[in-house]
Amino acid sequence: MKNFIYLSIVGLLFISCSGGGDDPAPTPTPEVKNVAPTIPTLVTPTDNKLCVDNTVAFQWNTATDANKDAIVYQIQIAKDNTFSQIVKTAESSTAAQTIALEKNTAYYWRIKATDSKGLSSDYSATYKFYTSGDAIVNHLPFSPEIVEPAINTVLNTTTVALKWNATDVDATDVLTYDVYFGTSNPPTDKIKENATSKTLDVQLELAKEYFWKVVVKDNKGGETVGQVWKFKTN
């Protein structure tokens, strides 16, 4: 009888120490999602700047990264505003870079930020500037910029106003425009010559794809041919 009581007590102690079941599973640590850095903002050269020297000191405001990742900046410099003629691509861990470029040349530049995990921001806005030359009398106008209709727009109309913008670092220059428009790419029909307005109404046909470009000219013999833009009609 004593042996039975002793074995019963030992059994109860064993059950009590075992906890009566398995320990609960640990709570998993939530995965931290990587977020792209913010888009850098350009500082110098400022937009439309006529630079004093062709060794250009580029500066921009730093991007931020929500994950506190290290950031590297990529700077692109091109001779056209679509960056199809890139002349320099460089990387920097700081918000500044000095780059030697050609004299008396129009350039366009932009920046993007990439974190240490390979995730990148969008490119910044594009700024344009002109490097100075030796005894330069005239600077070519910058490439014209599209206003409307936006590239690849689909229109449900038989008329549209083509609109663009153009600038020149020579503030006293008078700009005029030749407009090429048609269904061939590139357009070869010059529908307006020496226009002083930066808008032009054109007639359209339905179910067509149209292409257009603008040549901007100053009153000192300089001219810059713009890129080809396109849109469609239903």
Side-chain angles (χ1 to χ4, degrees):
M1 184 66 173
K2 291 180 179 181
N3 289 339
F4 175 76
I5 295 173
Y6 174 77
L7 291 174
S8 298
I9 293 172
V10 170
L12 289 172
L13 289 173
F14 177 78
I15 293 171
S16 176
C17 291
S18 68
D22 297 333
D23 292 335
T27 302
T29 303
E31 182 180 356
V32 178
K33 182 181 179 180
N34 189 36
V35 179
T38 59
I39 302 172
T41 54
L42 308 185
V43 177
T44 59
T46 55
D47 200 18
N48 291 318
K49 175 71 174 179
L50 176 60
C51 293
V52 175
D53 192 85
N54 64 302
T55 301
V56 185
F58 295 93
Q59 293 183 338
W60 55 92
N61 290 324
T62 57
T64 59
D65 189 278
N67 306 100
K68 308 299 182 184
D69 294 329
I71 292 176
V72 172
Y73 301 95
Q74 183 193 81
I75 178 172
Q76 283 189 343
I77 306 167
K79 289 187 176 181
D80 68 308
N81 56 4
T82 61
F83 289 84
S84 62
Q85 302 177 55
I86 295 175
V87 298
K88 183 71 174 180
T89 299
E91 291 188 348
S92 175
S93 58
T94 63
Q97 182 89 321
T98 299
I99 298 174
L101 300 171
E102 296 177 27
K103 294 182 179 181
N104 190 33
T105 305
Y107 288 103
Y108 304 81
W109 71 291
R110 63 185 182 181
I111 296 282
K112 73 174 180 179
T114 302
D115 66 21
S116 56
K117 298 183 179 68
L119 199 58
S120 298
S121 70
D122 291 333
Y123 276 105
S124 66
T126 298
Y127 278 6
K128 51 189 178 292
F129 63 93
Y130 219 112
T131 54
S132 59
D134 300 324
I136 294 303
V137 177
N138 184 47
H139 299 87
L140 296 179
F142 286 114
S143 292
E145 299 173 354
I146 190 170
V147 175
E148 60 182 46
I151 297 175
N152 293 325
T153 294
V154 179
L155 302 176
N156 295 296
T157 181
T158 56
T159 60
V160 68
L162 306 177
K163 297 181 181 180
W164 63 92
N165 192 30
T167 57
D168 192 312
V169 294
D170 299 319
T172 59
D173 283 0
V174 177
L175 301 181
T176 56
Y177 312 97
D178 294 344
V179 181
Y180 292 80
F181 178 80
T183 55
S184 60
N185 185 15
T188 56
D189 293 335
K190 184 191 295 185
I191 62 170
K192 188 70 174 181
E193 187 172 20
N194 297 325
T196 56
S197 173
K198 290 178 283 189
T199 182
L200 180 64
D201 293 332
V202 294
Q203 298 294 319
L204 308 174
E205 295 181 19
L206 298 180
K208 296 280 188 178
E209 184 172 35
Y210 288 97
F211 302 87
W212 64 293
K213 70 177 181 181
V214 175
V215 178
V216 53
K217 304 180 293 185
D218 64 26
N219 58 323
K220 297 172 184 173
E223 68 175 45
T224 301
V225 180
Q227 70 180 106
V228 175
W229 300 314
K230 63 180 180 178
F231 63 89
K232 293 181 179 180
T233 57
N234 274 331

